[in-house]
Amino acid sequence: MEAEMEQQLAPLRARCKEQGDLVRKLKADGAPEIDVKKQVQELKNRKKELEDMVLKLSPPDNFDRAKMTDLIKRRFFYDNSFAIYGGITGQYDYGPMGCDLVDNMLAEWQKHFVIQERMLKVNCSILTPEPVLKASGHVDKFADYMVKDVKTGECYRLDHLIKQHFEKKRADKKTTNEEKEALDRKLTLLEGMTMEEMNKIVKEYAMKSPLTGNDLTDAVEFNLMFPISIGPSGSLKGFLRPETAQGIFVNFKRLLEYNQGKLPFACAQIGNAYRNEISPRSGLLRVREFTMAEIEHFCDPDDKSHPKFNQIADTEMILYSGCAQMDGEPAKKMTIGEAVHGGLVANETLGYYMARIHQYLIKIGISPKKMRFRQHLSNEMAHYACDCWDAECLTSYGWIECVGCADRSAYDLGQHTKGSGVKMCVERPLKEPILVDSVVAVPEKGIIGKTFKKDAKAVQEALLSLSSDEAEKMDKALNDSGEYQLNGFKLTRGMVPSFKREQKKVYVEDIVPSVIEPSFGVGRVFYALLEHSFRVRENDEKRTYFSLPAVVAPIKVSVLPLSNNQEFMPFTSQLADALTELSLPVRVDDSTGSIGRRYARTDEIAIPFGVTIDFDTVNNTPHTVTLRERDSTEQVRMPIEEVPVTVRKLADGKIKWSDVTSKWPKFTAQETTK
């Protein structure tokens, strides 16, 4: 940054560092958690103030969201669901262009990750039984506080309501400095407040419904998952899945078996997830139904090296570390190799996926200048996570998280082991065999079969999977009380009359794998991509278009006959058919509008290449056409039979436009005009 900008930012950086040092001291001194949370929130406020100033002082990019939104709606990339009935906030329908763009993004995602990394794939059920999400922690923790308008029933997220009220009051000229300071203090504490404390604030400031001015109800806790009843009786409770990851975790044993019991391996899944947001806003950035593309990479917790790390070690990325955030420093460009070997990123596998995410986002058209990886501060990270970085994209809404990349340790598999009673572990060979005391249940299969009938097999499997410590505990309980609860089944001494004790030589040990998880919010990446590729033609404010890379562009090529004269039709059909045979999506525009207007129409829907059949094509032999590139608007003249293969190579990224212009002559004008 220029010296003048840094001069203005220096005091804000100093304020961040001062607060960051305070947070570090409180943690080092073992201060109460609530005190740490208060100061962390103040750190976040100061960090946001610094980032807002950085954006304010940065050169303007002249992006016009209103113009882009107009183009998106006019060409139906996406729009509100059920629009003819008034629409529903937080729900969107994708039109023809939006569908194809998302499909192409996901197709490239599968090539880039699933195929190149030789991953497994699953497609799991959206309807998820309650015990699964109870084990994962979603049932107990996936909630926000909500209040309602007592007359209209309109719902508001409580923390957002308080924040908006305070910001409005703070902007009021009648508010004194002392009152502003009191509001700032309460805003600082807001994130760590209980529901009762927030209710007290609503009453203290006599807050009303922002839309109607009506009174508000007391707050209630609102679980963000959509509850469902599975089956006609309604006795099996469940939820629409809030993420796709759990389907992979619960299938871990089958996936491990498919992979011949070996680590490491990765499994991917693409699918919809559902979160019942209280008051969704910011368009596609916060919605109730969204597509996720997630990867779970299972690896040895003691060996998180990656065999292909050297291939990406020199990848340069912009990294915004936790320390930089706490010290008020800017994000820094460095190679992922420097970041991993310098201890900034926790391990090679996490760093490898961060670099691959970076490569993928650039390939589909995200601007590298508007992308960074931000490390979660320690208070943001889940208690079980070792390290977590978000790929953030800069948009007109600010920096938005598009991809999360976390080392989740062994938490998920451990939780599902507890919840299901099924061990989620891998056998790892020991360097030297060891002797261990073994305690094994000896069941009376006949009694178990008669008592539990169809559940007998599950009971016997649970007994076989008991660890020695669990078996000892069960034996003692049967001696003391005559019964023992195992995975919801009540067992008696008659069912398990004895336990066999012996010493065994063990050659392997059971380990619970760690999980590295890249998680893509497809809708957010899609929106950031549209913003980053939106353009306005120089000297023509009305001509807007999307400069999408050919690899993800919904339609690869347009065929534009200059005239609707019958003589042009055979060439149009020949070319369109030849392009289609190479699996290239084609749009034929034989309308009577001027060629300039038709170019503008194809540019609007991001078609990267256009073929024009003109009078020279019809009148001269060999038959030639012009090939136009969308962004530069340059055209070359080439034989008609060369077009399909050339466009296929351009669309696949095997050649560049410069290769085409160096091979074929530039087009300036037709020789014949009729």
Side-chain angles (χ1 to χ4, degrees):
M1 289 188 179
E2 295 180 8
E4 296 84 4
M5 288 176 65
E6 273 304 322
Q7 197 171 1
Q8 293 185 63
L9 294 173
L12 298 177
R13 295 197 191 284
R15 274 169 49 79
C16 282
K17 186 174 188 323
E18 175 189 41
Q19 191 64 20
D21 290 342
L22 175 58
V23 170
R24 290 188 183 101
K25 185 175 185 307
L26 289 173
K27 288 182 178 179
D29 294 346
E33 186 181 356
I34 186 65
D35 292 344
V36 175
K37 279 186 175 180
K38 289 176 183 177
Q39 299 308 325
V40 166
Q41 185 55 42
E42 174 59 23
L43 172 62
K44 284 184 178 179
N45 293 342
R46 294 187 183 189
K47 185 163 73 76
K48 186 176 186 308
E49 186 182 8
L50 171 61
E51 288 203 338
D52 287 347
M53 183 58 74
V54 170
L55 292 176
K56 185 178 177 182
L57 295 175
S58 298
D61 64 0
N62 300 319
F63 173 74
D64 189 331
R65 193 200 296 167
K67 279 188 177 180
M68 188 188 81
T69 302
D70 173 67
L71 178 54
I72 285 170
K73 289 194 172 187
R74 192 159 41 80
R75 303 301 268 169
F76 195 15
F77 277 78
Y78 66 89
D79 202 354
N80 279 95
S81 299
F82 315 109
I84 63 172
Y85 287 92
I88 297 178
T89 56
Q91 291 177 229
Y92 291 89
D93 294 337
Y94 287 78
M97 293 299 99
C99 284
D100 286 346
L101 176 53
V102 170
D103 286 348
N104 292 344
M105 287 166 56
L106 292 176
E108 193 56 38
W109 188 89
Q110 295 202 61
K111 287 181 198 171
H112 190 83
F113 291 104
V114 180
I115 294 174
Q116 291 184 20
E117 306 298 336
R118 300 186 186 119
M119 295 178 178
L120 310 181
K121 276 184 71 179
V122 293
N123 185 2
C124 301
S125 175
I126 288 168
L127 312 180
T128 310
E130 186 178 42
V132 175
L133 294 168
K134 182 79 174 170
S136 67
H138 287 88
V139 171
D140 296 326
K141 297 176 182 176
F142 212 63
D144 282 330
Y145 303 135
M146 177 182 76
V147 291
K148 287 184 181 180
D149 184 312
V150 294
K151 291 184 179 177
T152 67
E154 183 77 24
C155 298
Y156 302 96
R157 186 167 146 177
L158 185 53
D159 57 338
H160 289 174
L161 182 83
I162 293 173
K163 191 175 181 182
Q164 288 166 10
H165 183 87
F166 280 6
E167 286 172 352
K168 187 176 178 182
K169 193 168 180 64
R170 210 182 178 289
D172 191 335
K173 293 179 181 178
K174 296 178 183 177
T175 305
T176 65
N177 287 334
E178 291 78 11
E179 288 172 328
K180 286 179 181 178
E181 287 175 10
L183 292 171
D184 288 342
R185 280 196 300 273
K186 284 172 180 170
L187 269 175
T188 298
L189 304 177
L190 189 60
E191 190 172 297
M193 284 186 182
T194 64
M195 185 169 69
E196 290 71 23
E197 289 171 330
M198 288 193 195
N199 261 331
K200 191 175 176 183
I201 285 181
V202 172
K203 289 173 182 172
E204 179 185 348
Y205 287 88
M207 293 183 193
K208 305 289 184 182
S209 166
L211 292 179
T212 64
N214 296 331
D215 289 336
L216 298 166
T217 64
D218 285 341
V220 293
E221 193 171 70
F222 177 75
N223 194 294
L224 296 176
M225 294 188 293
F226 285 96
I228 55 170
S229 295
I230 302 173
S233 68
S235 58
L236 181 55
K237 293 182 179 178
F239 299 91
L240 298 182
R241 65 183 179 194
E243 62 182 26
T244 58
Q246 301 309 317
I248 299 176
F249 295 137
V250 299
N251 281 296
F252 170 73
K253 288 196 74 172
R254 301 296 304 277
L255 294 166
L256 179 66
E257 180 185 345
Y258 184 88
N259 204 52
Q260 301 175 331
K262 296 175 183 175
L263 287 179
F265 72 90
C267 183
Q269 180 172 198
I270 297 171
N272 279 12
Y274 303 84
R275 298 182 185 178
N276 198 8
E277 297 285 350
I278 294 169
S279 52
R281 49 190 175 164
S282 304
L284 290 180
L285 305 185
R286 189 164 295 279
V287 291
R288 294 190 172 107
E289 178 181 5
F290 50 95
T291 302
M292 300 186 79
E294 291 193 300
I295 297 163
E296 307 302 332
H297 178 102
F298 300 98
C299 59
D300 188 321
D302 300 321
D303 180 11
K304 295 180 183 178
S305 61
H306 197 286
K308 292 165 68 176
F309 184 76
N310 287 339
Q311 295 179 16
I312 53 84
D314 293 332
T315 304
E316 279 197 332
M317 304 161 64
I318 297 174
L319 301 180
Y320 195 20
S321 69
C323 281
Q325 294 171 65
M326 294 180 78
D327 291 342
E329 295 177 359
K332 293 179 181 176
K333 182 180 276 191
M334 64 177 74
T335 68
I336 194 65
E338 292 169 341
V340 170
H341 297 141
L344 187 61
V345 174
N347 54 71
E348 280 190 3
T349 299
L350 182 64
Y352 179 79
Y353 277 109
M354 287 169 62
R356 294 290 286 153
I357 291 165
H358 181 265
Q359 291 171 349
Y360 167 76
L361 292 176
I362 289 175
K363 188 173 187 179
I364 66 169
I366 294 296
S367 169
K369 294 179 180 178
K370 295 183 178 181
M371 174 173 52
R372 71 182 184 190
F373 281 77
R374 187 185 71 81
Q375 187 176 35
H376 282 205
L377 297 174
S378 57
N379 68 293
E380 293 178 274
M381 255 188 288
H383 63 277
Y384 50 80
C386 301
D387 196 7
C388 185
W389 294 76
D390 288 340
E392 295 183 331
C393 296
L394 184 59
T395 71
S396 58
Y397 292 100
W399 287 100
I400 60 168
E401 173 200 346
C402 290
V403 189
C405 194
D407 182 337
R408 296 172 64 94
S409 67
Y411 173 78
D412 301 285
L413 295 181
Q415 287 298 105
H416 286 299
T417 296
K418 292 176 190 173
S420 67
V422 177
K423 283 187 178 179
M424 303 283 191
C425 58
V426 178
E427 288 186 346
R428 180 170 64 184
L430 292 166
K431 291 180 181 177
E432 297 288 338
I434 58 173
L435 286 172
V436 296
D437 294 325
S438 170
V439 183
V440 180
V442 181
E444 184 60 56
K445 294 181 180 178
I447 297 176
I448 289 174
K450 287 178 183 177
T451 306
F452 296 108
K453 297 185 173 66
K454 63 183 177 66
D455 293 323
K457 185 179 178 183
V459 173
Q460 290 177 31
E461 286 179 351
L463 286 168
L464 285 173
S465 66
L466 287 172
S467 67
S468 292
D469 289 342
E470 290 166 339
E472 283 282 16
K473 182 181 174 185
M474 182 177 180
D475 191 23
K476 184 177 185 307
L478 290 173
N479 286 334
D480 294 345
S481 63
E483 61 181 48
Y484 184 79
Q485 289 285 337
L486 178 63
N487 294 355
F489 300 107
K490 186 167 82 172
L491 303 179
T492 63
R493 174 57 80 187
M495 297 173 189
V496 193
S498 64
F499 287 77
K500 186 166 70 175
R501 289 168 172 80
E502 59 185 8
Q503 274 203 329
K504 289 198 303 189
K505 188 174 276 191
V506 176
Y507 297 87
V508 296
E509 63 178 335
D510 286 342
I511 61 163
V512 181
S514 282
V515 176
I516 310 295
E517 180 191 70
S519 178
F520 290 72
V522 176
R524 289 186 167 202
V525 177
F526 170 88
Y527 179 78
L529 176 56
L530 289 180
E531 275 211 12
H532 289 194
S533 62
F534 180 71
R535 304 283 187 272
V536 179
R537 286 283 179 212
E538 196 174 345
N539 303 321
D540 191 347
E541 289 292 310
K542 292 183 179 180
R543 288 188 64 180
T544 57
Y545 67 103
F546 288 110
S547 176
L548 294 171
V551 70
V552 292
I555 300 170
K556 307 303 182 191
V557 58
S558 59
V559 177
L560 309 165
L562 203 58
S563 166
N564 57 10
N565 190 303
Q566 287 295 315
E567 293 177 314
F568 284 74
M569 289 182 64
F571 298 100
T572 303
S573 300
Q574 171 196 339
L575 192 53
D577 291 346
L579 290 161
T580 304
E581 281 178 15
L582 291 181
S583 302
L584 288 163
V586 180
R587 184 182 183 93
V588 177
D589 187 350
D590 56 3
S591 60
T592 56
S594 70
I595 192 66
R597 185 169 294 178
R598 284 189 279 164
Y599 282 150
R601 281 203 296 263
T602 61
D603 291 349
E604 284 186 337
I605 53 177
I607 300 177
F609 307 107
V611 183
T612 305
I613 299 166
D614 57 18
F615 289 98
D616 284 352
T617 310
V618 176
N619 297 329
N620 298 340
T621 54
H623 301 293
T624 60
V625 292
T626 67
L627 179 65
R628 173 185 180 268
E629 196 268 338
R630 177 198 58 216
D631 294 351
S632 64
T633 69
E634 289 179 337
Q635 296 185 64
V636 296
R637 187 144 211 118
M638 62 196 303
I640 192 168
E641 62 272 10
E642 294 281 350
V643 170
V645 173
T646 302
V647 174
R648 180 74 271 175
K649 288 179 180 178
L650 285 165
D652 292 341
K654 291 180 179 176
I655 61 172
K656 297 178 180 177
W657 179 248
S658 57
D659 298 319
V660 178
T661 56
S662 64
K663 184 175 182 180
W664 304 106
K666 273 194 176 181
F667 170 75
T668 52
Q670 293 181 85
E671 294 176 7
T672 58
T673 57
K674 61 181 178 178

